[in-house]
Amino acid sequence: KDYPTASWQRRQEIFSEHVWWTKALLYFLSHDADLAKLYPKLVTEMATWGLCGDEYTDTNHWTPQLYVRESIRLDGMRVVTERDVRGVPSGPYIPSAMGLSKWAVDVHAVHRVAVRQDGVWAVLNAGGRDSGRIRNQPGTTQLTEIPYEALIPKHADTTNLIVPVCASFTHIGFATYRLEPQYAVFGHSAGVAAAVSVATSAAVQTINVTEVQQILESWVPYPQILHATEAPRATLLMK
């Protein structure tokens, strides 16, 4: 939990802990005697696996940094919430939209627990919410228009920052946004907005958003899709 604000030394400690855990898991899968009795083919195959010999050669074949799925986010001029991504209540049209986002509410499990059901032990995920793969969990199915105000800070905080990745979302809202396609879409939008800000010597809060939208919608060869009213075309392009 302390990784986002930790010192460099503490981050290295956390990184080392993840390396140790991953090594231990791989060793267990390839050496455990009880597991071998239950799944001999699995253990035999895992024993043949190792780290990739021609990748990350300068860091002992381990990736040099952690993949951080969710961390500190912007508290911007507008906060996108679960209510927004689920299309409640007044419709999806956002005048200042910078693009479209689409994903189910996807929150990974907090931990795994051993549970005995009908005399049989099983390992179950606890604390997660994946409305894209788990039945009977309500989630979002529609395209969500992301407002420009969710990408920029409040004027009193700073006037020269645009945040396309760690944008202004609640935890559940962000669970529908934190994917690479969205980062590409809104990274593009943020770049255009930044260029307009520099060209007009305007704070990011006072730029002409309509000008940004016009540039995005006329972009060649891939014009940006800003509004869900173009849903059929948008859905086709996002598959």
Side-chain angles (χ1 to χ4, degrees):
K1 292 181 180 179
D2 58 339
Y3 187 87
T5 58
S7 65
W8 178 254
Q9 179 180 353
R10 177 58 185 144
R11 285 192 174 193
Q12 291 300 105
E13 292 172 355
I14 295 172
F15 181 90
S16 297
E17 291 168 2
H18 281 74
V19 171
W20 181 91
W21 189 93
T22 304
K23 285 181 177 179
L25 175 62
L26 294 174
Y27 186 87
F28 167 77
L29 292 174
S30 59
H31 289 80
D32 187 78
D34 291 333
L35 185 64
K37 294 176 183 178
L38 295 171
Y39 303 103
K41 291 183 179 180
L42 170 65
V43 173
T44 300
E45 180 177 349
M46 287 302 301
T48 68
W49 286 75
L51 300 178
C52 186
D54 59 356
E55 291 187 355
Y56 307 119
T57 56
D58 55 345
T59 53
N60 202 26
H61 307 289
W62 290 91
T63 174
Q65 67 181 54
L66 293 178
Y67 177 87
V68 180
R69 177 177 294 274
E70 182 175 357
S71 180
I72 295 173
R73 296 183 297 279
L74 177 71
D75 182 10
M77 290 188 65
R78 175 169 176 175
V79 179
V80 178
T81 69
E82 179 181 5
R83 188 179 183 88
D84 296 315
V85 301
R86 293 182 62 186
V88 180
S90 59
Y93 186 82
I94 302 294
S96 62
M98 288 289 103
L100 297 173
S101 176
K102 180 179 174 65
W103 196 250
V105 175
D106 183 7
V107 179
H108 283 210
V110 176
H111 56 262
R112 291 187 170 94
V113 295
V115 177
R116 191 172 186 176
Q117 295 178 320
D118 300 325
V120 178
W121 284 96
V123 177
L124 300 180
N125 291 337
R129 170 180 171 146
D130 187 349
S131 53
R133 288 185 285 266
I134 300 176
R135 295 180 180 179
N136 302 321
Q137 282 200 0
T140 176
T141 58
Q142 80 289 332
L143 294 163
T144 302
E145 299 180 10
I146 305 301
Y148 175 67
E149 294 80 6
L151 308 182
I152 58 175
K154 298 166 185 172
H155 195 281
D157 292 332
T158 187
T159 60
N160 63 349
L161 176 68
I162 305 177
V163 184
V165 175
C166 304
S168 185
F169 284 72
T170 63
H171 172 58
I172 295 297
F174 191 70
T176 71
Y177 177 85
R178 44 126 199 91
L179 297 108
E180 281 75 5
Q182 277 85 327
Y183 297 161
V185 168
F186 297 101
H188 175 46
S189 299
V192 171
V196 170
S197 175
V198 171
T200 59
S201 299
V204 297
Q205 293 86 357
T206 61
I207 65 171
N208 187 335
V209 174
T210 300
E211 179 183 355
V212 176
Q213 292 174 316
Q214 290 172 345
I215 295 173
L216 291 171
E217 290 183 309
S218 61
W219 197 271
V220 178
Y222 302 112
Q224 188 85 299
I225 300 169
L226 303 180
H227 298 291
T229 51
E230 299 183 40
R233 178 179 171 221
T235 302
L236 176 63
L237 291 177
M238 292 178 73
K239 286 183 178 179

